[in-house]
Amino acid sequence: GAGVSQSPSNKVTEKGKDVELRCDPISGHTALYWYRQRLGQGLEFLIYFQGNSAPDKSGLPSDRFSAERTGESVSTLTIQRTQQEDSAVYLCASSLGPVAPQHFGDGTRLSIL
Amino acid sequence: AQKITQTQPGMFVQEKEAVTLDCTYDTSDPSYGLFWYKQPSSGEMIFLIYQGSYDQQNATEGRYSLNFQKARKSANLVISASQLGDSAMYFCAMRGGYQGAQKLVFGQGTRLTINP
């Protein structure tokens, strides 16, 4: 597609449920990133994928968070046993390579009740 | 560790005036990149401009320019002839050189409001 596509755009769920967020990067972009943005804050890095290399998971806040990406296509970010502190906008970005500018999707706004 | 500091939580500027948004950074990497992104109220992150640490000239993109002062570790964004549509949050971000080269470290942002 023309840009990074994320779904759903909004997700409301109860505390303790699992959620899965999806990111479809720009075609041809080998690098994919997930960030979290809490209300009124800057973005926090979560995880990075580059081709078939092992992902950089250094930003994942707990073992409740995981992400997968198959090749250079779609990625899913999964949050298990959601907590209220997980409420945030989750942004996905992709780039042509690790040093190229990152282009962001519109994000998924996650609200935990 | 890398760090980005944006000291202006909010700025108010009259339309058509130029505006400078401050950004200072801290890193021990000799090679790094600096980015500015715009985030309108709709939430998307829009890439504006990039400056590499070894670039000899300041980056420019249309009405945007980056005032890169390496010795001071500052990378201020200058918007010339501001427009009402420039009202948004602006984030400065850094990409590291060797370790953590891929992820972006963001500042807290500056909310810019352009008044008619």
Side-chain angles (χ1 to χ4, degrees):
Chain A
V4 177
S5 177
Q6 291 188 246
S7 61
S9 54
N10 285 283
K11 177 72 175 179
V12 181
T13 192
E14 293 179 348
K15 178 182 171 181
K17 301 285 189 183
D18 297 352
V19 296
E20 190 173 277
L21 312 180
R22 176 188 169 103
C23 173
D24 198 346
I26 294 172
S27 179
H29 281 196
T30 59
L32 186 147
Y33 314 76
W34 284 97
Y35 293 87
R36 177 173 70 180
Q37 186 178 27
R38 290 195 165 115
L39 187 64
Q41 302 292 314
L43 278 68
E44 304 170 74
F45 168 77
L46 296 177
I47 189 168
Y48 157 72
F49 295 91
Q50 172 61 49
N52 293 317
S53 302
D56 176 358
K57 303 180 181 179
S58 60
L60 294 179
S62 77
D63 58 8
R64 296 187 295 105
F65 287 72
S66 62
E68 293 183 348
R69 186 186 188 196
T70 304
E72 296 181 357
S73 62
V74 170
S75 174
T76 54
L77 175 68
T78 302
I79 308 173
Q80 296 178 310
R81 306 181 302 282
T82 52
Q83 304 292 315
Q84 287 188 330
E85 71 235 30
D86 299 335
S87 296
V89 176
Y90 289 82
L91 289 151
C92 175
S94 70
S95 64
L96 280 171
V99 297
Q102 297 175 23
H103 297 270
F104 285 80
D106 290 343
T108 294
R109 184 174 300 277
L110 177 64
S111 300
I112 309 300
L113 302 179
Chain B
Q2 297 167 336
K3 185 178 180 181
I4 293 284
T5 302
Q6 293 181 255
T7 57
Q8 306 154 311
M11 285 194 69
F12 295 84
V13 173
Q14 286 299 120
E15 188 180 9
K16 299 181 184 177
E17 289 183 352
V19 57
T20 298
L21 305 181
D22 295 341
C23 172
T24 58
Y25 61 91
D26 190 20
T27 182
S28 57
D29 290 327
S31 174
Y32 50 89
L34 296 155
F35 301 78
W36 277 92
Y37 283 84
K38 173 183 178 181
Q39 188 176 43
S41 57
S42 52
E44 73 267 35
M45 293 287 287
I46 302 168
F47 166 69
L48 296 178
I49 196 166
Y50 166 79
Q51 179 85 43
S53 58
Y54 292 121
D55 292 344
Q56 294 297 313
Q57 294 186 326
N58 287 345
T60 60
E61 288 287 347
R63 293 186 300 112
Y64 304 108
S65 61
L66 200 151
N67 184 2
F68 181 45
Q69 298 190 38
K70 196 169 183 177
R72 294 185 178 183
K73 294 190 174 179
S74 74
N76 298 340
L77 177 70
V78 180
I79 306 174
S80 63
S82 58
Q83 302 171 357
L84 296 178
D86 293 334
S87 293
M89 282 289 289
Y90 287 81
F91 291 97
C92 180
M94 160 182 283
R95 167 185 57 76
Y98 302 118
Q99 294 182 353
Q102 306 83 11
K103 66 182 180 185
L104 291 178
V105 174
F106 285 81
Q108 292 298 298
T110 295
R111 181 172 298 281
L112 176 63
T113 302
I114 308 298
N115 295 316

